[in-house]
Amino acid sequence: MFAREHIEYEAVDLPDRSDLTDAQMRAAAREFYDRMKRRHTVRDFAARAVAQEVIENCIRTAGTAPSGANHQPWHFVAISNPAFKKKIREAAEEEERKFYDGGAGDEWLKALEPIGTNDQKPHLEDAPWLIVVFSQKWGYFEDGTRFKNYYVPESTGIACGFLLAALHQAGLVSLTHTPNPMKFLTDMLGRPTHEKPIMIVAVGHPHEEAKVPKVAKMKKPLDEIMTLAG
């Protein structure tokens, strides 16, 4: 952890190793891909509760992500209170109405048509948990001195990826939601001004009649996302 009294390099032995054979590595990589390709972005949530411990451990996983200078410039607010979720939904839908009423522009709205979204966001109430992700532009030492964080968007983006993978591993489904602007979340959740809300993640179990847009499962083939150089 970054701390004012420990700002010098100290090397320690690598504490964890995976000593797999080549065959085991190939199998492990394929198994993880097979699992992750079954991850679905879901908007229809069941009423089934999710234990707080599950959410805490998924956020712990997100907190293991690499970050610029190891500053870990993120904070996660987990919400299960129905009244609070309702307030977030109402505020988010207010911003979404502006977005769909022309604020987004015709090209963006056209791109969203195959996804089937609109300004109604019932999932923000239906999901048993909402996780609001904040990025931190700077941090503070214990004496109140401010320090700069580095590669904040990249670091928080990686942490969000860890979070989504952990939620899927736990048998849950999720939906990332990014109303724009999102400053209402800073005020509503009482977060400090140096934090910026970047995402709401709705989390839970899928409703028995859950649907997903067909286009969402159309992923680019490997030869379009990977190039071997050299």
Side-chain angles (χ1 to χ4, degrees), residues 101-148:
D101 283 346
D106 292 341
E107 185 176 1
W108 196 348
L109 292 177
K110 187 70 175 177
L112 288 172
E113 285 182 7
I115 305 297
T117 59
N118 55 40
D119 61 358
Q120 297 301 300
K121 307 299 176 185
H123 55 268
L124 295 177
E125 283 191 84
D126 296 341
W129 287 92
L130 300 180
I131 302 174
V132 182
V133 185
F134 289 84
S135 64
Q136 299 172 331
K137 293 180 285 186
W138 61 82
Y140 291 93
F141 292 115
E142 290 184 356
D143 64 2
T145 304
R146 193 172 94 173
F147 60 84
K148 181 180 178 181

Side-chain angles (χ1 to χ4, degrees), residues 24-52:
Q24 288 171 327
M25 284 190 289
R26 286 192 291 269
R30 183 70 198 195
E31 287 169 6
F32 188 70
Y33 165 66
D34 287 340
R35 182 167 184 82
M36 291 305 296
K37 75 178 181 181
R38 295 195 295 272
R39 189 203 65 80
H40 301 277
T41 294
V42 173
R43 291 176 170 78
D44 306 308
F45 290 89
R48 179 182 170 187
V50 175
Q52 180 176 320

Side-chain angles (χ1 to χ4, degrees), residues 145-173:
T145 304
R146 193 172 94 173
F147 60 84
K148 181 180 178 181
N149 288 328
Y150 302 93
Y151 298 103
V152 174
E154 295 87 348
S155 299
T156 52
I158 296 170
C160 288
F162 274 40
L163 175 62
L164 297 180
L167 293 168
H168 180 62
Q169 176 69 18
L172 299 171
V173 295

Side-chain angles (χ1 to χ4, degrees), residues 6-7 26 38 58 62 82 94 96 103 135 156 162 165 170 184 197 212 220:
H6 299 115
I7 310 183
R26 286 192 291 269
R38 295 195 295 272
C58 289
E94 183 177 347
E96 291 293 308
S135 64
T156 52
F162 274 40
F184 69 88
V212 296
K220 293 180 179 179

